[in-house]
Amino acid sequence: MAEWVKEIDEDGNILQTKKYDGKYYVSHFIGNIKDHLSAIEEMEVRDDDTFLLSYPKSGTHWVFTIASMLRTRDTAYHGSPMFMDFNEMETLNNMPSPRILATHMTFDRLPRQAREGKGKILVALRNPKDVAVSLHTFVKKLDYSDVIATWDGLLKFYVEGKMVYGSWFENIQAWDKTKKEYKGDNLMFLIYEELKKDLHSHVKKIDAFLETNTGEDYVDLVTHKCTFKNMAVEATNSFKPSDQWKTATTSKTLPIYRKGEIGDWKNHFTVAQNESFDKIYEDKMKNSSFHFMFE
Ligand code: A3P
């Protein structure tokens, strides 16, 4: 069974999570966690399902929008993906195809059929300093959040691995393990910074990976639609808060698009915080096969 965890540190920073089997989840994760995880494990996967896995603030909405436009061959903007984490199984099972099913969990929590090769799996990863900044600015925008903390407070929770969905480093270690052990060819890693440097070639690669083969002109169009600027405009013009967002915000705009840059962490980390973070990064990432750009 999940247990509620409420941390209040000496400076009044608050972090509420649900903890299950040693891992931290968001408070609106479905039910007692255990039953929903079992239901996800046994879920019937369709051949044209796309699973989108990411640590929070790593470009989930970006990759979702690209994949959605490719899968549907329609450039309509759809805001947020459906998360397996916060939606009842009945809702997920009733979604029309092609489904894009998101989660902030790792490979081990995917439906068994996906782990056996059915459907496609996209994994969005981003450097941990920009993730921390994006998280902090994001939670401040929400009317309700599990985290109420100053930048210093949030960074401390983050480094301690207590944030919702746990430690960024443990998340990457889990992906390193998957990369080493998983033999299937239905999994693709996407690194935020690499998409930023060359969006067009990544849209093309995703098109090939999903076997949507939409063609050069359509890839060009999706690339254009999925720039930060164009997605932010769409989000402002067409956002309708779904059930997924209703508990967190009354905002009329999807609270996702902020700067969309590499290296904004430099405007938030103090010199001391950066030095300390670099030491932890060096230690925890020494055996990792993932390499992140920080600027
Ligand atoms: P910032 O807060 O640094 O701007 P997620 O979707 O996982 O919650 O990630 C949100 C982050 O992705 C935000 O980062 C957001 O601005 C960025 N993002 C969303 N769409 C983007 C795009 N088209 N190009 C670059 N960054 C994008």
Side-chain angles (χ1 to χ4, degrees):
M1 284 300 219
E3 70 178 283
W4 283 94
V5 179
K6 184 164 184 175
E7 296 250 356
I8 306 180
D9 73 9
E10 63 279 10
D11 299 315
N13 297 298
I14 302 173
L15 175 65
Q16 305 185 89
T17 47
K18 268 182 183 174
K19 196 173 178 188
Y20 171 70
D21 199 18
K23 292 202 170 142
Y24 297 96
Y25 295 83
V26 276
S27 59
H28 52 293
F29 198 98
I30 297 287
N32 68 7
I33 301 184
K34 181 175 185 277
D35 292 346
H36 195 58
L37 290 179
S38 305
I40 292 174
E41 162 103 19
E42 298 310 326
M43 183 178 182
E44 193 63 38
V45 173
R46 304 175 196 162
D47 287 325
D48 60 357
D49 279 343
T50 308
F51 295 90
L52 168 54
L53 287 75
S54 63
Y55 189 84
K57 314 323 291 174
S58 302
T60 322
H61 286 73
W62 193 8
V63 174
F64 162 66
T65 304
I66 297 168
S68 157
M69 288 181 181
L70 293 173
R71 275 290 198 203
T72 59
R73 288 182 191 239
D74 180 349
T75 55
Y77 175 81
H78 291 294
S80 293
M82 287 294 279
F83 270 83
M84 295 195 286
D85 315 19
F86 333 130
N87 285 285
E88 297 287 354
M89 201 44 66
E90 194 187 342
T91 311
L92 302 172
N93 287 337
N94 288 336
M95 280 171 68
S97 294
R99 298 185 296 185
I100 298 181
L101 298 161
T103 175
H104 288 318
M105 299 185 289
T106 42
F107 185 79
D108 52 321
R109 291 301 185 191
L110 279 175
R112 183 182 305 119
Q113 291 179 1
R115 288 185 280 111
E116 288 170 357
K118 202 166 177 190
K120 302 280 185 189
I121 305 163
L122 296 171
V123 185
L125 305 174
R126 186 183 191 184
N127 88 62
K129 293 184 190 175
D130 283 329
V131 165
V133 170
S134 185
L135 259 174
H136 179 58
T137 48
F138 172 67
V139 298
K140 276 202 308 192
K141 280 192 219 163
L142 301 178
D143 304 335
Y144 172 79
S145 169
D146 288 337
V147 196
I148 303 167
T150 60
W151 162 243
D152 294 356
L154 181 136
L155 187 62
K156 195 154 65 69
F157 287 142
Y158 182 72
V159 167
E160 287 168 355
K162 290 178 177 164
M163 284 299 293
V164 285
Y165 292 104
S167 154
W168 181 93
F169 293 105
E170 277 173 24
N171 191 275
I172 291 294
Q173 279 155 9
W175 285 119
D176 261 314
K177 186 168 182 284
T178 301
K179 201 171 169 185
K180 212 162 138 191
E181 295 174 359
Y182 185 57
K183 302 283 177 261
D185 59 2
N186 64 333
L187 185 144
M188 181 185 212
F189 289 104
L190 296 163
I191 312 284
Y192 181 98
E193 293 77 21
E194 293 175 6
L195 262 74
K196 264 311 274 190
K197 302 261 180 207
D198 183 357
L199 182 56
H200 184 265
S201 81
H202 283 85
V203 174
K204 203 169 165 176
K205 279 184 208 156
I206 299 169
D207 189 37
F209 171 73
L210 295 178
E211 297 175 82
T212 38
N213 304 315
T214 59
E216 271 298 324
D217 291 350
Y218 192 72
V219 165
D220 291 351
L221 180 62
V222 173
T223 306
H224 172 71
K225 291 270 180 187
C226 291
T227 60
F228 176 79
K229 200 166 137 243
N230 290 342
M231 281 180 59
V233 169
E234 282 285 359
T236 308
N237 293 343
S238 63
F239 174 58
K240 292 180 202 69
S242 64
D243 291 343
Q244 294 192 109
W245 283 105
K246 273 182 189 147
T247 48
T249 180
T250 48
S251 162
K252 299 260 181 300
T253 308
L254 191 60
I256 290 294
Y257 306 92
R258 192 183 59 94
K259 287 197 172 176
E261 288 172 1
I262 310 171
D264 186 43
W265 60 269
K266 290 182 188 166
N267 299 316
H268 297 262
F269 279 69
T270 63
V271 172
Q273 284 172 338
N274 190 39
E275 281 174 5
S276 154
F277 197 91
D278 280 348
K279 280 201 192 102
I280 298 167
Y281 185 90
E282 207 178 308
D283 176 46
K284 303 245 186 211
M285 296 291 286
K286 60 177 181 282
N287 298 320
S288 178
S289 63
F290 292 102
H291 302 284
F292 291 91
M293 284 179 254
F294 290 87
E295 52 194 297

